[in-house]
Amino acid sequence: MKKQSGIKLRNQIIIGIVALIVWIALYLNLSLISKFITYSLLPLEEGAHFGASLEFFFFDVPKVFMLLTLIVFFVGIIRSFFTPERTRKILAGKNESVGNVLAALLGIVTPFCSCSAVPLFIGFVSAGVPLGVTFSFLISAPMVNEIALVLLYGMFGFKVAAIYLSTGLFIAIISGWIIGRLKMETYIEDWVKDTRAPMLSDATTPEAWSERIEYGVSAVKEIVGKVWVYVILGIAVGAGIHGYVPEDFMASIMGREAWWSVPIAVLIGVPLYSNAAGIIPIVHALLEKGAALGTVLAFMMAVIGLSLPETIILRKVLKPRLIAVFIGVVAFGILTVGYLFNGIL
Amino acid sequence: MKIEILGTGCPKCKKLYENTLSAIKMTGISADVEKIEDIAKIMSAGVMSTPAIVVDGVVKSSGKLLSPEDIATLIKG
């Protein structure tokens, strides 16, 4: 058995290296490929609106999908070390401030789907994880999204990615801390308190490295299979903005001087539900047309961090007042980030 | 054998239920499969990430969509 998995791992590594070389070669030549498709294969003139849109589309689609595949694979491997059960064990019994920081950090790497927000919430709270710490986790898990992080890095470089990571963590830590200070434990639905959730010993995680690699591959299949529609749509919208919206048009409505653009970006962003991977191409196009970084960041965080479906799911366990505080505190945090970056950058 | 699929009704949970049915067909083992969507019941099994699969009262896997083949080895073992 052991020898077999050794051979399996060796084959996986060989396939992986070959795939990585092909990946790098393609990635470095994407700009050429997109120009070739747009202007040589298709009868389009360089400089026209439609051509510019199409070139953006043919450049961004493979770029985003290639980055996505690579990230999801490696994140999948990292995640094979974490489970919600393990995270709960780490967080249970931690005092508040340290707990908030840890919870926000673990929110990035713990596999989480908004459809299990309810069992996760109950599991955390009933195991003695403080309410505010639980919220730090619940805020960070969707908002600080590893896919968004690496795509931002790939498209705008280190600075934007670092700003996103640190402000997202900051909002999750502070919002959770505030909710903890407000002592809102009584605003959890009563039936939750009566639910007794036994602490399970750790559930299934892969052990061998070949299994972790398989976990990574299945994560790629699952996530790319789920988000590709959002990505294509996002890139199509981005391509439209790129080709048709005049240069610096966004500067007047989403620029730094337009103070009202930050709250409006958040208001528009909350009901919009998109995947992190789908929102980045729109971010790309908006920034390119002169929108201010703070405004765009606020918009992006509102879309992926405060989603209506998740709020509706959480309503099952939280009374309206706590839901309102949760949305209010996070929205306030996002606004602050928006203004902060419009002010200093 | 009694198999329970725990999930709040998300697409993954439904798929796991279907996969379990085909795993049973594959192995020819006779088993009762039940879908459990009540959150209180899910919690009392100690499950935090759905979907989960419980065989004869023991949580075998949680937070993961298993393939019919995975489930087959799981119920045979």
Side-chain angles (χ1 to χ4, degrees), chain A residues 266-317:
Chain A
V266 173
L267 279 181
I268 297 175
V270 174
L272 274 184
Y273 177 67
S274 169
N275 203 277
I279 199 77
I280 305 289
I282 300 176
V283 167
H284 185 182
L286 288 175
L287 281 179
E288 196 186 59
K289 297 294 178 185
L293 181 62
T295 311
V296 174
L297 209 59
F299 174 67
M300 186 181 98
M301 284 180 160
V303 173
I304 62 175
L306 269 180
S307 78
L308 219 48
E310 199 195 332
T311 317
I312 293 167
I313 289 172
L314 282 176
R315 174 64 191 88
K316 278 191 215 161
V317 285

Tab-separated table of all heavy atoms in Angstrom, chain A residues 266-317:
chain	number	residue	atom	x	y	z
A	266	VAL	N	-21.059	50.977	-1.868
A	266	VAL	CA	-21.412	49.945	-0.887
A	266	VAL	C	-22.880	49.565	-1.037
A	266	VAL	O	-23.234	48.377	-1.044
A	266	VAL	CB	-21.116	50.423	0.555
A	266	VAL	CG1	-21.645	49.428	1.579
A	266	VAL	CG2	-19.618	50.630	0.742
A	267	LEU	N	-23.749	50.580	-1.208
A	267	LEU	CA	-25.179	50.305	-1.360
A	267	LEU	C	-25.462	49.440	-2.587
A	267	LEU	O	-26.289	48.534	-2.548
A	267	LEU	CB	-25.964	51.616	-1.482
A	267	LEU	CG	-26.274	52.312	-0.165
A	267	LEU	CD1	-27.077	53.581	-0.430
A	267	LEU	CD2	-27.050	51.373	0.753
A	268	ILE	N	-24.753	49.720	-3.672
A	268	ILE	CA	-24.945	48.921	-4.886
A	268	ILE	C	-24.357	47.528	-4.689
A	268	ILE	O	-24.893	46.537	-5.152
A	268	ILE	CB	-24.288	49.597	-6.113
A	268	ILE	CG1	-24.958	50.950	-6.372
A	268	ILE	CG2	-24.386	48.718	-7.351
A	268	ILE	CD1	-24.313	51.746	-7.492
A	269	GLY	N	-23.247	47.480	-3.946
A	269	GLY	CA	-22.532	46.212	-3.803
A	269	GLY	C	-23.238	45.172	-2.954
A	269	GLY	O	-23.134	43.983	-3.232
A	270	VAL	N	-23.962	45.590	-1.916
A	270	VAL	CA	-24.538	44.610	-0.989
A	270	VAL	C	-25.543	43.655	-1.646
A	270	VAL	O	-25.409	42.437	-1.526
A	270	VAL	CB	-25.142	45.301	0.257
A	270	VAL	CG1	-25.869	44.296	1.135
A	270	VAL	CG2	-24.043	45.972	1.056
A	271	PRO	N	-26.560	44.188	-2.365
A	271	PRO	CA	-27.503	43.245	-2.971
A	271	PRO	C	-26.910	42.469	-4.142
A	271	PRO	O	-27.391	41.391	-4.482
A	271	PRO	CB	-28.661	44.127	-3.438
A	271	PRO	CG	-28.111	45.496	-3.529
A	271	PRO	CD	-26.990	45.576	-2.545
A	272	LEU	N	-25.864	43.018	-4.766
A	272	LEU	CA	-25.221	42.295	-5.854
A	272	LEU	C	-24.516	41.097	-5.275
A	272	LEU	O	-23.810	41.191	-4.286
A	272	LEU	CB	-24.159	43.167	-6.527
A	272	LEU	CG	-24.594	44.107	-7.646
A	272	LEU	CD1	-23.359	44.782	-8.208
A	272	LEU	CD2	-25.317	43.330	-8.724
A	273	TYR	N	-24.707	39.966	-5.901
A	273	TYR	CA	-24.014	38.813	-5.400
A	273	TYR	C	-23.169	38.240	-6.515
A	273	TYR	O	-23.675	37.837	-7.550
A	273	TYR	CB	-25.003	37.774	-4.881
A	273	TYR	CG	-24.324	36.529	-4.417
A	273	TYR	CD1	-23.511	36.566	-3.302
A	273	TYR	CD2	-24.459	35.343	-5.118
A	273	TYR	CE1	-22.857	35.431	-2.880
A	273	TYR	CE2	-23.812	34.208	-4.697
A	273	TYR	CZ	-23.019	34.256	-3.578
A	273	TYR	OH	-22.371	33.136	-3.157
A	274	SER	N	-21.903	38.235	-6.306
A	274	SER	CA	-21.043	37.633	-7.303
A	274	SER	C	-19.945	36.902	-6.579
A	274	SER	O	-19.725	37.089	-5.392
A	274	SER	CB	-20.438	38.686	-8.210
A	274	SER	OG	-19.422	38.111	-8.995
A	275	ASN	N	-19.297	36.084	-7.328
A	275	ASN	CA	-18.157	35.410	-6.776
A	275	ASN	C	-16.955	36.326	-6.829
A	275	ASN	O	-16.887	37.210	-7.678
A	275	ASN	CB	-17.918	34.199	-7.635
A	275	ASN	CG	-17.172	33.192	-6.863
A	275	ASN	OD1	-15.965	33.291	-6.797
A	275	ASN	ND2	-17.866	32.279	-6.255
A	276	ALA	N	-16.021	36.129	-5.924
A	276	ALA	CA	-14.814	36.946	-5.903
A	276	ALA	C	-14.131	36.939	-7.267
A	276	ALA	O	-13.681	37.971	-7.759
A	276	ALA	CB	-13.858	36.432	-4.843
A	277	ALA	N	-14.098	35.779	-7.900
A	277	ALA	CA	-13.415	35.673	-9.184
A	277	ALA	C	-14.120	36.476	-10.271
A	277	ALA	O	-13.505	36.929	-11.219
A	277	ALA	CB	-13.302	34.208	-9.598
A	278	GLY	N	-15.427	36.665	-10.119
A	278	GLY	CA	-16.168	37.395	-11.136
A	278	GLY	C	-16.062	38.902	-10.973
A	278	GLY	O	-16.226	39.656	-11.924
A	279	ILE	N	-15.783	39.348	-9.756
A	279	ILE	CA	-15.788	40.778	-9.490
A	279	ILE	C	-14.449	41.432	-9.882
A	279	ILE	O	-14.395	42.596	-10.234
A	279	ILE	CB	-16.155	41.053	-8.001
A	279	ILE	CG1	-16.611	42.499	-7.810
A	279	ILE	CG2	-15.032	40.740	-7.053
A	279	ILE	CD1	-18.000	42.751	-8.286
A	280	ILE	N	-13.382	40.653	-9.862
A	280	ILE	CA	-12.064	41.225	-10.135
A	280	ILE	C	-11.939	41.844	-11.534
A	280	ILE	O	-11.383	42.930	-11.670
A	280	ILE	CB	-10.948	40.174	-9.891
A	280	ILE	CG1	-11.053	39.599	-8.483
A	280	ILE	CG2	-9.570	40.763	-10.136
A	280	ILE	CD1	-10.660	40.541	-7.384
A	281	PRO	N	-12.446	41.174	-12.592
A	281	PRO	CA	-12.331	41.816	-13.911
A	281	PRO	C	-13.049	43.166	-13.965
A	281	PRO	O	-12.591	44.090	-14.649
A	281	PRO	CB	-13.010	40.816	-14.856
A	281	PRO	CG	-12.943	39.513	-14.160
A	281	PRO	CD	-13.010	39.815	-12.693
A	282	ILE	N	-14.156	43.296	-13.229
A	282	ILE	CA	-14.867	44.579	-13.185
A	282	ILE	C	-14.011	45.618	-12.454
A	282	ILE	O	-13.883	46.759	-12.891
A	282	ILE	CB	-16.247	44.404	-12.509
A	282	ILE	CG1	-17.077	43.404	-13.317
A	282	ILE	CG2	-16.967	45.737	-12.389
A	282	ILE	CD1	-18.410	43.063	-12.708
A	283	VAL	N	-13.408	45.169	-11.360
A	283	VAL	CA	-12.491	46.039	-10.613
A	283	VAL	C	-11.368	46.535	-11.528
A	283	VAL	O	-11.034	47.716	-11.556
A	283	VAL	CB	-11.891	45.251	-9.416
A	283	VAL	CG1	-10.714	45.986	-8.809
A	283	VAL	CG2	-12.960	45.016	-8.359
A	284	HIS	N	-10.834	45.604	-12.297
A	284	HIS	CA	-9.750	45.886	-13.238
A	284	HIS	C	-10.156	47.025	-14.184
A	284	HIS	O	-9.454	48.018	-14.349
A	284	HIS	CB	-9.472	44.591	-14.020
A	284	HIS	CG	-8.302	44.670	-14.943
A	284	HIS	ND1	-7.937	43.630	-15.751
A	284	HIS	CD2	-7.428	45.661	-15.199
A	284	HIS	CE1	-6.885	43.974	-16.465
A	284	HIS	NE2	-6.551	45.204	-16.145
A	285	ALA	N	-11.347	46.869	-14.806
A	285	ALA	CA	-11.789	47.852	-15.783
A	285	ALA	C	-12.099	49.198	-15.132
A	285	ALA	O	-11.781	50.251	-15.680
A	285	ALA	CB	-13.015	47.324	-16.529
A	286	LEU	N	-12.715	49.184	-13.942
A	286	LEU	CA	-13.070	50.431	-13.262
A	286	LEU	C	-11.819	51.234	-12.901
A	286	LEU	O	-11.757	52.448	-13.119
A	286	LEU	CB	-13.875	50.148	-11.986
A	286	LEU	CG	-15.321	49.670	-12.159
A	286	LEU	CD1	-15.929	49.333	-10.806
A	286	LEU	CD2	-16.161	50.720	-12.863
A	287	LEU	N	-10.823	50.542	-12.370
A	287	LEU	CA	-9.590	51.226	-11.975
A	287	LEU	C	-8.914	51.856	-13.178
A	287	LEU	O	-8.404	52.969	-13.130
A	287	LEU	CB	-8.627	50.242	-11.302
A	287	LEU	CG	-8.914	49.887	-9.843
A	287	LEU	CD1	-7.882	48.889	-9.349
A	287	LEU	CD2	-8.888	51.138	-8.967
A	288	GLU	N	-8.953	51.095	-14.286
A	288	GLU	CA	-8.308	51.543	-15.507
A	288	GLU	C	-8.920	52.847	-16.026
A	288	GLU	O	-8.259	53.677	-16.629
A	288	GLU	CB	-8.533	50.443	-16.540
A	288	GLU	CG	-7.681	50.474	-17.740
A	288	GLU	CD	-8.172	49.396	-18.682
A	288	GLU	OE1	-9.352	49.438	-19.086
A	288	GLU	OE2	-7.387	48.497	-18.996
A	289	LYS	N	-10.227	53.019	-15.761
A	289	LYS	CA	-10.915	54.206	-16.258
A	289	LYS	C	-10.934	55.341	-15.242
A	289	LYS	O	-11.764	56.227	-15.309
A	289	LYS	CB	-12.350	53.860	-16.646
A	289	LYS	CG	-12.451	52.855	-17.768
A	289	LYS	CD	-11.909	53.413	-19.070
A	289	LYS	CE	-11.997	52.345	-20.159
A	289	LYS	NZ	-11.380	52.779	-21.402
A	290	GLY	N	-10.075	55.260	-14.248
A	290	GLY	CA	-9.921	56.401	-13.365
A	290	GLY	C	-10.738	56.365	-12.084
A	290	GLY	O	-10.792	57.345	-11.360
A	291	ALA	N	-11.405	55.242	-11.784
A	291	ALA	CA	-12.100	55.163	-10.510
A	291	ALA	C	-11.061	55.116	-9.388
A	291	ALA	O	-9.957	54.601	-9.574
A	291	ALA	CB	-12.978	53.915	-10.457
A	292	ALA	N	-11.422	55.659	-8.206
A	292	ALA	CA	-10.466	55.695	-7.103
A	292	ALA	C	-10.364	54.327	-6.443
A	292	ALA	O	-11.351	53.592	-6.345
A	292	ALA	CB	-10.893	56.738	-6.088
A	293	LEU	N	-9.171	53.984	-5.991
A	293	LEU	CA	-8.924	52.665	-5.422
A	293	LEU	C	-9.827	52.381	-4.215
A	293	LEU	O	-10.383	51.297	-4.087
A	293	LEU	CB	-7.449	52.529	-5.020
A	293	LEU	CG	-7.061	51.177	-4.425
A	293	LEU	CD1	-7.267	50.049	-5.425
A	293	LEU	CD2	-5.619	51.185	-3.943
A	294	GLY	N	-9.986	53.368	-3.326
A	294	GLY	CA	-10.804	53.168	-2.134
A	294	GLY	C	-12.244	52.842	-2.485
A	294	GLY	O	-12.852	51.940	-1.909
A	295	THR	N	-12.776	53.566	-3.454
A	295	THR	CA	-14.158	53.340	-3.872
A	295	THR	C	-14.336	51.941	-4.449
A	295	THR	O	-15.273	51.216	-4.120
A	295	THR	CB	-14.572	54.389	-4.936
A	295	THR	OG1	-14.219	55.675	-4.448
A	295	THR	CG2	-16.047	54.326	-5.221
A	296	VAL	N	-13.401	51.547	-5.307
A	296	VAL	CA	-13.488	50.236	-5.945
A	296	VAL	C	-13.332	49.119	-4.906
A	296	VAL	O	-14.045	48.111	-4.935
A	296	VAL	CB	-12.413	50.104	-7.053
A	296	VAL	CG1	-12.396	48.701	-7.617
A	296	VAL	CG2	-12.672	51.117	-8.151
A	297	LEU	N	-12.414	49.331	-3.981
A	297	LEU	CA	-12.192	48.344	-2.921
A	297	LEU	C	-13.458	48.186	-2.077
A	297	LEU	O	-13.866	47.066	-1.743
A	297	LEU	CB	-11.028	48.827	-2.037
A	297	LEU	CG	-10.172	47.781	-1.346
A	297	LEU	CD1	-9.528	46.865	-2.342
A	297	LEU	CD2	-9.096	48.475	-0.511
A	298	ALA	N	-14.094	49.319	-1.764
A	298	ALA	CA	-15.325	49.286	-0.973
A	298	ALA	C	-16.416	48.529	-1.730
A	298	ALA	O	-17.135	47.707	-1.163
A	298	ALA	CB	-15.792	50.701	-0.650
A	299	PHE	N	-16.506	48.798	-3.020
A	299	PHE	CA	-17.491	48.117	-3.849
A	299	PHE	C	-17.257	46.607	-3.832
A	299	PHE	O	-18.156	45.802	-3.594
A	299	PHE	CB	-17.406	48.653	-5.279
A	299	PHE	CG	-18.277	47.941	-6.269
A	299	PHE	CD1	-19.657	48.033	-6.177
A	299	PHE	CD2	-17.724	47.184	-7.285
A	299	PHE	CE1	-20.470	47.369	-7.088
A	299	PHE	CE2	-18.519	46.523	-8.194
A	299	PHE	CZ	-19.900	46.616	-8.098
A	300	MET	N	-16.000	46.215	-4.035
A	300	MET	CA	-15.661	44.801	-4.090
A	300	MET	C	-15.948	44.100	-2.763
A	300	MET	O	-16.526	43.017	-2.722
A	300	MET	CB	-14.184	44.664	-4.438
A	300	MET	CG	-13.753	43.254	-4.650
A	300	MET	SD	-12.010	43.201	-5.028
A	300	MET	CE	-11.373	42.820	-3.454
A	301	MET	N	-15.567	44.735	-1.664
A	301	MET	CA	-15.788	44.118	-0.352
A	301	MET	C	-17.275	44.002	-0.044
A	301	MET	O	-17.714	43.033	0.568
A	301	MET	CB	-15.104	44.934	0.729
A	301	MET	CG	-13.608	44.725	0.737
A	301	MET	SD	-12.871	45.718	2.033
A	301	MET	CE	-11.314	44.863	2.221
A	302	ALA	N	-18.058	45.009	-0.480
A	302	ALA	CA	-19.490	44.940	-0.236
A	302	ALA	C	-20.107	43.792	-1.026
A	302	ALA	O	-20.981	43.081	-0.526
A	302	ALA	CB	-20.155	46.264	-0.612
A	303	VAL	N	-19.631	43.589	-2.242
A	303	VAL	CA	-20.198	42.511	-3.056
A	303	VAL	C	-19.870	41.140	-2.468
A	303	VAL	O	-20.754	40.301	-2.296
A	303	VAL	CB	-19.689	42.589	-4.523
A	303	VAL	CG1	-20.140	41.361	-5.299
A	303	VAL	CG2	-20.211	43.835	-5.199
A	304	ILE	N	-18.599	40.903	-2.146
A	304	ILE	CA	-18.254	39.549	-1.711
A	304	ILE	C	-18.374	39.347	-0.206
A	304	ILE	O	-18.603	38.241	0.251
A	304	ILE	CB	-16.848	39.100	-2.194
A	304	ILE	CG1	-15.766	39.984	-1.612
A	304	ILE	CG2	-16.787	39.041	-3.688
A	304	ILE	CD1	-14.360	39.503	-1.954
A	305	GLY	N	-18.259	40.429	0.587
A	305	GLY	CA	-18.243	40.259	2.041
A	305	GLY	C	-19.600	40.340	2.692
A	305	GLY	O	-19.851	39.712	3.710
A	306	LEU	N	-20.484	41.128	2.118
A	306	LEU	CA	-21.815	41.286	2.711
A	306	LEU	C	-22.820	40.791	1.698
A	306	LEU	O	-23.275	41.547	0.857
A	306	LEU	CB	-22.094	42.759	2.992
A	306	LEU	CG	-21.730	43.339	4.348
A	306	LEU	CD1	-22.111	44.800	4.381
A	306	LEU	CD2	-22.373	42.582	5.477
A	307	SER	N	-23.154	39.520	1.750
A	307	SER	CA	-24.061	39.046	0.719
A	307	SER	C	-25.438	38.799	1.305
A	307	SER	O	-25.577	38.328	2.432
A	307	SER	CB	-23.507	37.795	0.035
A	307	SER	OG	-23.719	36.680	0.840
A	308	LEU	N	-26.420	39.135	0.527
A	308	LEU	CA	-27.802	38.973	0.953
A	308	LEU	C	-28.150	37.514	1.269
A	308	LEU	O	-28.732	37.232	2.318
A	308	LEU	CB	-28.722	39.540	-0.132
A	308	LEU	CG	-29.936	40.301	0.360
A	308	LEU	CD1	-29.572	41.307	1.429
A	308	LEU	CD2	-30.618	40.996	-0.805
A	309	PRO	N	-27.770	36.560	0.396
A	309	PRO	CA	-28.116	35.163	0.698
A	309	PRO	C	-27.569	34.702	2.050
A	309	PRO	O	-28.283	34.045	2.817
A	309	PRO	CB	-27.455	34.373	-0.440
A	309	PRO	CG	-27.209	35.345	-1.524
A	309	PRO	CD	-27.106	36.691	-0.908
A	310	GLU	N	-26.318	35.091	2.353
A	310	GLU	CA	-25.749	34.648	3.619
A	310	GLU	C	-26.491	35.262	4.802
A	310	GLU	O	-26.724	34.616	5.816
A	310	GLU	CB	-24.261	35.015	3.687
A	310	GLU	CG	-23.529	34.195	4.732
A	310	GLU	CD	-22.182	34.783	5.076
A	310	GLU	OE1	-21.571	35.452	4.240
A	310	GLU	OE2	-21.747	34.573	6.220
A	311	THR	N	-26.881	36.529	4.646
A	311	THR	CA	-27.619	37.206	5.701
A	311	THR	C	-28.953	36.511	5.960
A	311	THR	O	-29.360	36.318	7.105
A	311	THR	CB	-27.878	38.671	5.290
A	311	THR	OG1	-26.688	39.181	4.715
A	311	THR	CG2	-28.262	39.502	6.463
A	312	ILE	N	-29.604	36.118	4.869
A	312	ILE	CA	-30.889	35.429	5.022
A	312	ILE	C	-30.696	34.096	5.733
A	312	ILE	O	-31.471	33.728	6.612
A	312	ILE	CB	-31.553	35.233	3.631
A	312	ILE	CG1	-31.942	36.599	3.064
A	312	ILE	CG2	-32.770	34.326	3.729
A	312	ILE	CD1	-32.322	36.591	1.602
A	313	ILE	N	-29.621	33.392	5.385
A	313	ILE	CA	-29.326	32.122	6.051
A	313	ILE	C	-29.076	32.366	7.541
A	313	ILE	O	-29.590	31.649	8.402
A	313	ILE	CB	-28.105	31.439	5.395
A	313	ILE	CG1	-28.478	30.927	4.007
A	313	ILE	CG2	-27.600	30.285	6.251
A	313	ILE	CD1	-27.316	30.404	3.207
A	314	LEU	N	-28.315	33.407	7.855
A	314	LEU	CA	-27.976	33.676	9.262
A	314	LEU	C	-29.177	34.135	10.084
A	314	LEU	O	-29.181	34.013	11.302
A	314	LEU	CB	-26.860	34.728	9.351
A	314	LEU	CG	-25.454	34.220	9.069
A	314	LEU	CD1	-24.462	35.366	9.088
A	314	LEU	CD2	-25.043	33.165	10.097
A	315	ARG	N	-30.192	34.665	9.406
A	315	ARG	CA	-31.394	35.108	10.102
A	315	ARG	C	-32.020	33.957	10.901
A	315	ARG	O	-32.676	34.171	11.908
A	315	ARG	CB	-32.375	35.676	9.073
A	315	ARG	CG	-33.750	36.053	9.579
A	315	ARG	CD	-33.710	37.172	10.591
A	315	ARG	NE	-35.014	37.314	11.235
A	315	ARG	CZ	-35.374	36.641	12.325
A	315	ARG	NH1	-34.547	35.802	12.880
A	315	ARG	NH2	-36.569	36.808	12.844
A	316	LYS	N	-31.795	32.719	10.450
A	316	LYS	CA	-32.312	31.550	11.172
A	316	LYS	C	-31.784	31.466	12.591
A	316	LYS	O	-32.437	30.935	13.475
A	316	LYS	CB	-31.893	30.260	10.448
A	316	LYS	CG	-32.765	29.893	9.280
A	316	LYS	CD	-32.421	28.474	8.844
A	316	LYS	CE	-32.543	28.313	7.345
A	316	LYS	NZ	-31.829	27.149	6.848
A	317	VAL	N	-30.557	31.940	12.808
A	317	VAL	CA	-29.966	31.814	14.144
A	317	VAL	C	-29.827	33.146	14.873
A	317	VAL	O	-29.567	33.166	16.069
A	317	VAL	CB	-28.586	31.117	14.107
A	317	VAL	CG1	-28.756	29.628	13.885
A	317	VAL	CG2	-27.690	31.714	13.037
